[in-house]
Amino acid sequence: MLGNLQKYREIIISVALFLIFDLSVLVVSSLTTGQLKDDAVAVNLASRQRELSQRIVKTLLQIQIAQSAGQSIEEPQTELAMTFKIFDETIEGLRDGKYVTGGDYQTVMLIPVETDSAKVYLERAFLIWNPFKEKLFRVIAAKRAVPQEDLQDAVEYASKNNLLLLELMNVITSEAEKKLADKSNTLRMIQISGIIAALINFFVLLFHFIRKLRSQDAEIARYSENLEKMVEIRTRELRRAQEQLRATNASLEKAKGELEVLNSQLEQKVEERTAELRNAQTQLIQSEKMAALGQMVAGLAHEVNTPLAFVKTNLEGMREFHKDLFKLVEESEKLCDALQRDDLDRIDEHFARLAEIQRHLKESNRIQDISDMLRESLTGMDRIQELVINLKNFSRLDEAEYKYADIHAGIDSTLLIANNIIKNKAKVIKEYAPKVFAECYPAQLNQVFLNLITNAAQAIEHSNGEIRIKTEVVDGYAVIRVSDNGKGIPKEHLNKIFEPFFTTKPVGQGTGLGLSICYQIIEKHHGSIKVESQVGVGTTFTIKIPTKQTRRDDKVGENVLSPASELQPA
Amino acid sequence: MGALSNILLVDDEPLLLSSLSRVLRLHYTVFTAENGMQALDIVQRHNIKVIVSDQRMPGMLGHELLGKVKEISPNTVRLLLTGYSDLDAVLNSVNAGQIFRYINKPCSVEKLREMIELGVQIHDRIVAMQSEAKLAKTQPNALPDPPATLLFVGYAPSEVQRLTSKLVGQFIIEQAKDIDEAFAALNRASVSVLISELNFGEHDGIDFLNAVKKEFPHTVTIILTDMIDATMAIRSINEAQVFRYITKPAGEEAFAFVIEEAVKRHRAYQTTPHQNIKYTAEAISPDQNFHTSAEKLRAKLLAARIALSKPR
């Protein structure tokens, strides 16, 4: 705002100056014009005095003529009175300044004479006028006829002084005229100087603006010059850029070619890598399978080992004991032989030996031992047989892959397989619903159960371990819960545990695929597997699978574990 | 023949206990227990010469039981039956149970009997030496112990430096980069504790330790290796009676603690040799586990000794 004002300051000042000049000229000239009018009145009236004085003389003469001719003097007398009156007031007005009867019998203001010379002349005029006035007054005041001597006196005075008075009036008039001329000259000077000042101001302004415009023009010229330069530079730059672009384009074109080559190579590499990865995946899955198998085999080996150990011990013991029995049989045979031959000495001898052997057998409780050994060995063999049957049940090798199966049977056979892992760690608490069947791949489900149960056992690090297995059927789903009171899974691991290769076990002890494979197996059953865990309290895995599969088309057999299947859980 | 020796069998399988006790009953008074608590109860009430325990049992594991038995009855010779190798259990027991032998299940009756018999003899011998020692216990060793010598075999000098950072000044530290150097060092000075790697290329680490143990029964041996192998661990006990089997990486402080324990053990062996079970076993019967390769190593050791003694 202030800046704008600043910008217009020059114009404002110029305009103000212009207005001041013009206004002052106007004021001065109007003032002067007023004075000029007054002066003109003065000149006019002063000039009229000459005529009036002439008329006074004329009327005097007329009165003289009329009187001498006996005619009425009334008319010239009136004229004289009138003229006298006007002359008198005018001359007084010239001296003192007052309202007088003007040219058209209108009252005007008469200003007193100003110049000293005029005043002197006026004084002289009064010297003439005042005696004249008295004489004239007598003429005017006379009724019907003017006394002759008065008339004569007046005429004589008039003829004697009229010229002088006239001359004086002339001088005064010319004085007034001179003054008027002076004044109008002054006025003209003022007007001219005002116009000149205005013109100067105008020219100053004009010059100023022209200069300004010129400097702006110069600036614009400079700008446009700069602009041209810049345009030139920019053009050059653009041209260069264009060239570069063209070059870049070319190299891009080249790069594109290379890229295409690389791309094809990459595709090839990706294919190779994919193949490698698939291979690695296959191997990993294989190793997970082997790990599971190893676990199972190890478990079974231990389970078989125990009955095997005591069966073997029993058999080894029986081999020793068998010697005693053999001796018994031998002596019996010898005794029989002696009895047959009636060899009394031999009979006694063999009988004594037989009795000794029998005593030994009895003392050492061999007979009882042997029957115990046989019985216990058979028990052991039964246990081994049971394990083998269970192994068959677990793997379901002799059954249809896909069937309507008893979930409990699967869990039970899994528990037997996992027995050696659980045995030392936890008590298993089964909370089974009366009957839980589902359409499934029993062997694969068993694999899931084994994984969960093994994990549960491994999570338990105290002596009051409990693994709770609960089953129920809810809304057409078989629900299996495997809970432990182990160490629990930290929150940050919970959402990762179904990811392939996620493991918290040390390297070499688990591929990290177990739960991811479980996830897949359950997903292929159109079911769900969820985990809840609290560190230090325990973990619960909940599996839900539909008891009846609606979509049998995408049932998956072996390829659950095939490399082609997706390992990434949702 | 007098009273039969008391032995204790511990297994969670009653049928195994009954079958074993039947075949052992003729020669021993057989006690049986189905779990660790029962076993400890029996050990407390009877003078058990040999205890044979299964490793895998509910409640208390075999090596834990044997560790406790060692405290209650130090003279009871402890045997551990291991079903299928459980690495953690074996390594734990090596370092905690002070076990005389590991026996793999299933084991023939004959072999078991042999082991038990050796155990009984060792027990009797230890007891006999103890009473001898008691009688001869007149010279208290008022002399301050000279600084013990530690011999590291098969490690990089930087590693030895790191391991012994907490031990500087307390011990004389010797280093040998291979078995030959180790033999030379063993013959030069009395080594209290020998810390050895297991992997020596052509030579078997356990055989090396076995040979060392045979010649220097009182040298306490420690295995420090990154080879985690249950078979090796079992052999290290059964054949070489190593004091500790430590897997790498070993913390300096923990290592320092083990070394102090080992040195104490070495001093104990020197003052009361009967505590040295290997020494006692050797005295009773020559080592049946002594392989030909160990024999060769022993020959080497002896040759080194001769070579060293010649200039004198």
Side-chain angles (χ1 to χ4, degrees), chain B residues 74-88:
Chain B
N75 292 338
T76 300
V77 174
R78 299 168 295 272
L79 307 180
L80 189 68
L81 277 170
T82 51
Y84 76 102
S85 297
D86 186 337
L87 184 74
D88 288 343

Side-chain angles (χ1 to χ4, degrees), chain B residues 141-154:
Chain B
N141 56 339
L143 287 169
D145 295 318
T149 302
L150 311 181
L151 174 60
F152 288 84
V153 186

Side-chain angles (χ1 to χ4, degrees), chain A residues 314 316 366 369 376 383, chain B residues 13 18 22 25-26 109:
Chain A
N314 282 337
E316 281 176 343
R366 281 284 141 92
D369 275 357
E376 287 175 15
R383 267 166 57 178
Chain B
E13 175 54 66
S18 71
R22 265 195 298 270
R25 212 166 46 201
L26 282 180
V109 173

Side-chain angles (χ1 to χ4, degrees), chain B residues 125-140:
Chain B
R125 174 97 181 200
I126 287 171
V127 171
M129 285 168 86
Q130 258 170 351
S131 45
E132 277 169 36
K134 242 176 230 163
L135 289 174
K137 206 177 181 182
T138 39
Q139 76 276 43

Side-chain angles (χ1 to χ4, degrees), chain A residues 298 302 305-306 309-310 312-314 316-317 320-321 364-366 369 372-373 376 379 383 420 423-424, chain B residues 12-13 15-16 18-20 22-23 25-26 56-59 61 83-84 105-110 113:
Chain A
H302 187 268
N305 229 358
T306 307
F310 64 77
K312 195 179 169 215
T313 307
N314 282 337
E316 281 176 343
E320 283 175 27
F321 295 178
S364 62
N365 207 14
R366 281 284 141 92
D369 275 357
D372 286 348
M373 281 168 163
E376 287 175 15
T379 311
R383 267 166 57 178
N420 78 300
K423 177 170 80 174
N424 299 325
Chain B
D12 60 325
E13 175 54 66
L15 292 183
L16 186 68
S18 71
S19 71
L20 283 175
R22 265 195 298 270
V23 295
R25 212 166 46 201
L26 282 180
R56 290 198 152 230
M57 293 184 296
L61 291 171
Y84 76 102
K105 245 170 46 171
C107 164
S108 73
V109 173
E110 215 170 313
R113 227 183 242 149

Side-chain angles (χ1 to χ4, degrees), chain A residues 186-374:
Chain A
T186 312
L187 179 63
R188 201 169 299 129
M189 283 308 289
I190 287 167
Q191 280 175 338
I192 288 168
S193 60
I195 286 164
I196 289 169
L199 275 174
I200 289 167
N201 185 30
F202 172 75
F203 281 114
V204 165
L205 264 179
L206 190 67
F207 179 74
H208 180 73
F209 281 118
I210 285 171
R211 207 184 55 189
K212 222 168 184 183
L213 278 172
R214 200 168 285 159
S215 79
Q216 276 175 356
D217 275 352
E219 213 147 290
I220 285 166
R222 208 166 48 241
Y223 275 140
S224 61
E225 201 180 337
N226 278 349
L227 199 65
E228 266 169 39
K229 269 187 200 155
M230 271 161 71
V231 166
E232 206 176 312
I233 289 166
R234 286 294 293 149
T235 311
R236 260 208 306 276
E237 281 176 0
L238 277 173
R239 199 165 293 143
R240 213 168 28 236
Q242 202 185 7
E243 275 163 27
Q244 279 176 357
L245 199 65
R246 208 169 285 144
T248 310
N249 243 358
S251 67
L252 270 177
E253 202 67 36
K254 202 172 130 205
K256 195 179 147 198
E258 284 169 10
L259 204 64
E260 269 164 21
V261 173
L262 276 177
N263 223 8
S264 67
Q265 284 175 355
L266 193 67
E267 263 167 39
Q268 200 185 330
K269 270 203 180 137
V270 165
E271 248 165 60
E272 281 169 22
R273 288 291 293 144
T274 309
E276 276 172 34
L277 274 175
R278 196 166 290 159
N279 230 348
Q281 210 181 30
T282 316
Q283 279 175 10
L284 265 167
I285 288 166
Q286 202 57 35
S287 72
E288 174 62 29
K289 265 180 166 176
M290 288 308 289
L293 190 69
Q295 209 173 39
M296 208 177 81
V297 167
L300 265 170
H302 187 268
E303 288 301 302
V304 171
N305 229 358
T306 307
L308 202 64
F310 64 77
V311 167
K312 195 179 169 215
T313 307
N314 282 337
L315 288 175
E316 281 176 343
M318 275 167 73
R319 192 172 57 192
E320 283 175 27
F321 295 178
H322 147 265
K323 285 173 200 157
D324 292 339
L325 287 179
F326 193 74
K327 266 189 214 156
L328 184 72
V329 172
E330 218 175 34
E331 283 308 320
S332 304
E333 275 174 2
K334 281 176 184 164
L335 182 62
C336 281
D337 196 42
L339 279 171
Q340 238 170 14
R341 280 191 272 130
D342 245 350
D343 185 344
L344 279 173
D345 289 350
R346 302 277 294 229
I347 288 172
D348 279 349
E349 188 194 342
H350 289 301
F351 187 77
R353 274 199 210 156
L354 196 59
E356 169 64 24
I357 290 168
Q358 273 177 329
R359 195 183 54 79
H360 172 67
L361 279 174
K362 210 168 197 172
E363 263 179 17
S364 62
N365 207 14
R366 281 284 141 92
I367 304 300
Q368 184 58 45
D369 275 357
I370 286 171
S371 78
D372 286 348
M373 281 168 163
L374 283 172

